[in-house]
Amino acid sequence: MGAPGAVGNQRSVQASVAAGPGSAKAGAVNAPSESPAAPTDGPDSHKRIAMLALSALGIVFGDIGTSPLYALRECFTGPHGITPTPANVMGVLSLIFWSLIIVVSVKYLLFVMRADNRGEGGILALMALAMQRPRGQSHRARPVLITLGIFGAALLYGDGLITPAISVLSAVEGLSVATPVFEPYIIPISLIILGLLFLVQRKGTGGIGAVFGPFMALWFVVIAVLGVKELLHNPAVLWSLSPVHGVHFFIDNGGHGFLVLGAVFLVVTGGEALYADMGHFGAGPIKRAWFALVLPSLVLNYLGQGALLLRHAEAARNPFFLLAPDWARYPLVALATGAAVIASQALISGSFSITRQAMQLGYSPRMEVVHTSAEEMGQIYLPGLNGVLLVGVVALVLGFGSSSRLAAAYGIAVTTTMAITTVLAYVVARERWSVSRAVALPIAGVFLLVDLSFFGANAVKISDGGWFPLLLAVCIFTLMTTWKRGRDILAAKLRAASLGLKDLLGSFGDHPPVRVPGTAIFMTGNPEGTPPALLHNLKHNKILHEQVVLLTIIPEEIPHIVAGERVEVEPLEQGFVRVIARYGFMENPSIPDVLKRCREKGLQFQLMGTSFFLGRETLIPTKKPGMAVWREALFSWMSRNARSATAYFRIPPNRVVELGSQVEL
């Protein structure tokens, strides 16, 4: 569980990797800095941080906060569960505690979250930050970094599917603890809840987001109280916090003890979300919420479950719900279901955000992006992806049938993503912060050792269901890289067939075209060349508008572009104007916004007298060098199903003229 929460955006890495450390273009910093979202001075700032911390509870910690529903249970009853003897219980609790400390508290909160890309986090933002170099310098490891970042993002889609299924199933399964009468209805009830969850996505999280934080605060208080209640019966379980018990656990159980790490890892799934959602809340509020409430509540609950197992080993079948007295079982199921829905919401929103980032970085076709809040740019809804996720989650629930079987499929994707994050963070520490290898390598080495240990323990679960997120990641990675490679090939072919703008303007001296009133805006990916649509218009219609605007939208490898740097307007000869608009990967390109900024910079035009000319290419797969024929066919299919440029860039549809051409790949 570790997908980013409600943040993100999209498109091509062709962007300028702009100036070096400290450059506004590069968006990089010479030293790690905390997100600017959370000022820390004055009483108003402290109040703001407290409110942000409360909000973060409902978005950032929903995933990791619901792990007590199934994590400890899987250590003793899962596919590689171990007998709940007192020594084993103490050993597992020690591993759980130190996993929370090392992976979440130290690695993510104290190390990785320092790698902010203009205040934004997440694996794609980290990849972009790791690739940034001073202008004119190439990055030798760039292809490797891109591959790692894109594959890590692809893995998170599996997380976005499994998290809603396992969280809701685990919560509803609490009904069978209260009474076996509900056993046949667990899957239908879960499917109804999940169906409603995906149905309300179109409404956005803004309307209900205000209650997410307080609800999760209540959840953490309740699970802490449940843990303390049982802890009072057996306070000796506190000795499990010593790492000695974890060491003895491995010594006593050998290989079997190592395999239990696959279940222990479930307690830290969701750690990636802390970093991914940094742009929404800032590092400060997230750290405060973790250390002040979330971490203590989780530790107390796990200790309480362990104390219960020391008294009643048979409680291993579902120690979380058995912590509660009989009269509290049904209210606890309702509370757990609400927490599971919130955790699921965060992962679904995270999937939307990853997709938007992938579009802006050039690794996904254009899709419809609906903004569900006028205030929060991160609150988005992708109708097409929402339907795909719903089908996938329903298939998972029906295919696996229980949270225990889903737990076997869980972990392999997240452990891989966490290892990739460690590698990228090391690159940032070395090249952006100038940390010496003698310091950075041992720190990253320890983190990577922990990541790979969890990966190895989860790797044995591949045949039990772990194959699913890996297969899904490979498929998504293939789609993303095919789209990027196909767009690069297409752009190269269009550039090769294009006429230089200077050559075109020079040819007008002998044979000037007929000029007609109005403004024509030609969108082009190559600011130096002549748009194919312009050449087609001249060839077939024999006319040219009085004012011709060549508009290029350049995606940058930074999250946001300063408003004053968004648009550049450059007058050329013979009524031509070059406009370059830049957008960060956390922003949505918008033609109305570009035109507004052009007017502010002195470009005069009447919208009703303006026509937008767009090229539409029909792609023909061939056996020529480039991509395999099957990938060319896949790219052609993706292109046909991509959202139109008119809708994506919000161009007035009644002002658009499309001119088609055929291109052999």
Side-chain angles (χ1 to χ4, degrees):
M1 300 173 166
V7 284
N9 246 317
Q10 331 154 5
R11 187 175 162 159
S12 173
V13 177
Q14 146 204 24
S16 54
V17 178
S23 165
K25 286 267 193 220
V29 289
N30 285 322
S33 63
E34 203 166 282
S35 168
T40 55
D41 296 325
D44 291 340
S45 296
H46 290 302
K47 181 178 179 180
R48 171 176 165 76
I49 290 174
M51 294 304 297
L52 286 171
L54 180 62
S55 299
L57 289 176
I59 299 297
V60 178
F61 298 105
D63 191 354
I64 199 170
T66 52
S67 294
L69 287 169
Y70 46 81
L72 194 67
R73 180 194 70 196
E74 292 305 309
C75 292
F76 297 104
T77 63
H80 303 289
I82 200 163
T83 305
T85 63
N88 287 341
V89 170
M90 297 291 280
V92 167
L93 289 176
S94 180
L95 294 176
I96 287 175
F97 174 74
W98 287 104
S99 295
L100 290 170
I101 295 299
I102 295 173
V103 175
V104 181
S105 301
V106 178
K107 174 184 170 180
Y108 276 100
L109 271 73
L110 301 183
F111 179 66
V112 175
M113 286 184 70
R114 294 163 67 86
D116 66 276
N117 193 336
R118 282 196 174 182
E120 300 293 345
I123 193 164
L124 289 181
L126 183 61
M127 177 194 75
L129 185 62
M131 290 192 305
Q132 288 173 2
R133 303 281 288 177
R135 188 180 297 276
Q137 294 185 20
S138 61
H139 201 309
R140 290 177 298 175
R142 182 184 180 92
V144 176
L145 296 177
I146 291 177
T147 300
L148 288 175
I150 296 304
F151 191 67
L155 285 165
L156 292 177
Y157 282 97
D159 190 21
L161 283 178
I162 296 177
T163 295
I166 192 173
S167 299
V168 172
L169 266 176
S170 298
V172 177
E173 283 170 352
L175 292 172
S176 64
V177 176
T179 171
V181 172
F182 284 102
E183 189 74 38
Y185 304 104
I186 289 176
I187 290 181
I189 292 173
S190 298
L191 290 177
I192 291 173
I193 293 172
L194 289 167
L196 292 174
L197 174 63
F198 282 95
L199 186 64
V200 300
Q201 290 303 308
R202 69 184 66 234
K203 302 294 183 182
T205 57
I208 55 177
V211 302
F212 277 12
F215 187 96
M216 289 305 296
L218 173 63
W219 165 258
F220 286 117
V221 170
V222 168
I223 67 173
V225 169
L226 289 174
V228 170
K229 178 186 75 69
E230 190 60 39
L231 194 58
L232 294 175
H233 291 290
N234 194 349
V237 77
L238 289 169
W239 289 107
S240 65
L241 300 183
S242 168
V244 173
H245 288 281
V247 173
H248 283 305
F249 177 81
F250 288 127
I251 294 174
D252 295 340
N253 295 284
H256 192 184
F258 178 76
L259 294 180
V260 173
L261 275 180
V264 171
F265 178 74
L266 295 173
V267 307
V268 297
T269 53
E272 192 80 13
L274 277 64
Y275 176 50
D277 283 305
M278 182 172 61
H280 266 287
F281 306 103
I286 292 175
K287 292 177 182 178
R288 285 167 174 77
W290 171 256
F291 288 111
L293 178 61
V294 179
L295 178 61
S297 298
L298 291 175
V299 171
L300 287 172
N301 188 264
Y302 286 125
L303 289 174
Q305 292 187 46
L308 176 63
L309 292 180
L310 291 178
R311 289 201 304 135
H312 303 291
E314 65 276 7
R317 64 188 179 94
N318 206 321
F320 177 82
F321 285 105
L322 290 173
L323 277 178
D326 293 341
W327 61 266
R329 295 272 164 76
Y330 290 115
L332 184 59
V333 169
L335 185 65
T337 303
V341 167
I342 291 175
S344 304
Q345 174 63 55
L347 269 296
I348 295 169
S349 299
S351 298
F352 294 160
S353 299
I354 293 172
T355 304
R356 190 173 69 167
Q357 290 184 27
M359 282 191 283
Q360 194 71 336
L361 289 169
Y363 290 93
S364 171
R366 294 184 297 265
M367 299 176 65
E368 181 180 3
V369 179
V370 179
H371 287 264
T372 59
S373 170
E375 291 80 25
E376 297 294 335
M377 62 171 290
Q379 294 183 10
I380 57 174
Y381 166 63
L382 278 67
L385 181 60
N386 189 65
V388 173
L389 289 175
L390 174 58
V391 172
V393 169
V394 169
L396 280 177
V397 171
L398 295 177
F400 284 86
S402 71
S403 61
S404 291
R405 294 182 63 190
L406 269 172
Y410 206 27
I412 188 70
V414 187
T415 55
T416 307
T417 302
M418 287 186 171
I420 292 172
T421 298
T422 299
V423 174
L424 293 177
Y426 169 77
V427 173
V428 172
R430 288 280 296 127
E431 301 197 8
R432 305 303 303 171
W433 307 337
S434 300
V435 178
S436 68
R437 182 179 286 106
V439 174
L441 189 58
I443 295 175
V446 171
F447 295 147
L448 193 60
L449 177 63
V450 174
D451 294 334
L452 295 179
S453 297
F454 281 131
F455 176 83
N458 279 283
V460 300
K461 300 191 294 185
I462 291 178
S463 60
D464 295 325
W467 56 268
F468 171 77
L470 291 179
L471 177 62
L472 180 65
V474 169
C475 292
I476 293 174
F477 179 80
T478 300
L479 291 173
M480 295 172 78
T481 53
T482 296
W483 179 258
K484 181 66 171 72
R485 177 63 178 150
R487 293 298 300 176
D488 288 344
I489 293 174
L490 178 60
K493 287 186 174 293
L494 291 177
R495 279 196 302 270
S498 177
L499 178 66
L501 186 59
K502 289 184 178 180
D503 295 334
L504 176 70
L505 296 178
S507 69
F508 290 166
D510 298 329
H511 306 285
V514 176
R515 307 298 287 254
V516 297
T519 298
I521 297 179
F522 293 87
M523 295 192 67
T524 174
N526 178 16
E528 302 300 328
T530 303
L534 192 155
L535 295 176
H536 284 302
N537 185 50
L538 276 174
K539 178 179 179 180
H540 297 289
N541 296 325
K542 316 293 185 187
I543 61 168
L544 201 62
H545 287 72
E546 286 179 339
Q547 182 170 248
V548 177
V549 177
L550 308 179
L551 173 59
T552 301
I553 294 181
I554 297 180
E556 298 283 6
E557 295 176 346
I558 56 179
H560 307 286
I561 300 296
V562 178
E565 301 175 359
R566 169 85 66 209
V567 171
E568 297 177 10
V569 177
E570 179 187 359
L572 303 174
E573 305 172 24
Q574 303 191 42
F576 278 66
V577 180
R578 177 184 289 124
V579 174
I580 296 178
R582 291 182 168 86
Y583 283 84
F585 61 79
M586 302 289 287
E587 300 171 319
N588 283 341
S590 167
I591 293 302
D593 175 61
V594 171
L595 296 182
K596 174 185 174 183
R597 297 180 188 277
C598 286
R599 281 198 178 98
E600 294 172 355
K601 290 183 177 290
L603 181 61
Q604 301 300 319
F605 59 90
Q606 294 294 327
L607 185 60
M608 295 308 296
T610 299
S611 298
F612 295 84
F613 289 82
L614 305 178
R616 177 179 286 272
E617 298 84 16
T618 299
L619 307 179
I620 303 174
T622 68
K623 294 183 179 181
K624 296 180 180 179
M627 290 192 297
V629 175
W630 67 269
R631 290 188 73 188
E632 291 179 349
L634 176 61
F635 174 67
S636 179
W637 173 81
M638 295 171 73
S639 297
R640 290 195 301 271
N641 288 276
R643 195 181 189 207
S644 70
T646 301
Y648 181 73
F649 292 112
R650 294 192 285 176
I651 304 173
N654 60 338
R655 311 302 307 169
V656 173
V657 177
E658 289 191 347
L659 298 171
S661 61
Q662 291 189 341
V663 179
E664 292 185 350
L665 293 174

